[in-house]
Amino acid sequence: MNVKINNEPAVLADGTTLAQLAAERNLPDRGVAVAVGNAMVPRAEWGAHKLCEGDKLTVIRVAC
């Protein structure tokens, strides 16, 4: 399926969850937030949140 991550096109397998995406992209366990559309998705829900064709994700990393 086609999605956009921080305005960059990406192709993911159908049924990919936010948790799977985070693992594939080696996102750290802390200091990262993800919004799908305009809604932040709590990390506790990443495993159950399946992405859909055309989703627009914003990944924010905290800089220290």
Side-chain angles (χ1 to χ4, degrees), residues 16-49:
T16 298
T17 65
L18 278 179
Q20 290 168 323
L21 176 68
E24 289 171 8
R25 302 246 169 178
N26 295 318
L27 296 179
D29 291 336
R30 304 183 108 192
V32 175
V34 178
V36 178
N38 291 325
M40 296 298 290
V41 179
R43 185 176 289 271
E45 296 176 15
W46 286 11
H49 190 101

Side-chain angles (χ1 to χ4, degrees):
M1 81 182 129
N2 296 299
V3 299
K4 286 197 174 186
I5 303 171
N6 293 347
N7 292 320
E8 296 290 327
V11 178
L12 305 175
D14 288 341
T16 298
T17 65
L18 278 179
Q20 290 168 323
L21 176 68
E24 289 171 8
R25 302 246 169 178
N26 295 318
L27 296 179
D29 291 336
R30 304 183 108 192
V32 175
V34 178
V36 178
N38 291 325
M40 296 298 290
V41 179
R43 185 176 289 271
E45 296 176 15
W46 286 11
H49 190 101
K50 290 188 180 181
L51 299 171
C52 299
E53 178 74 28
D55 275 349
K56 294 178 183 176
L57 291 83
T58 303
V59 178
I60 302 166
R61 296 180 193 209
V62 174
C64 297

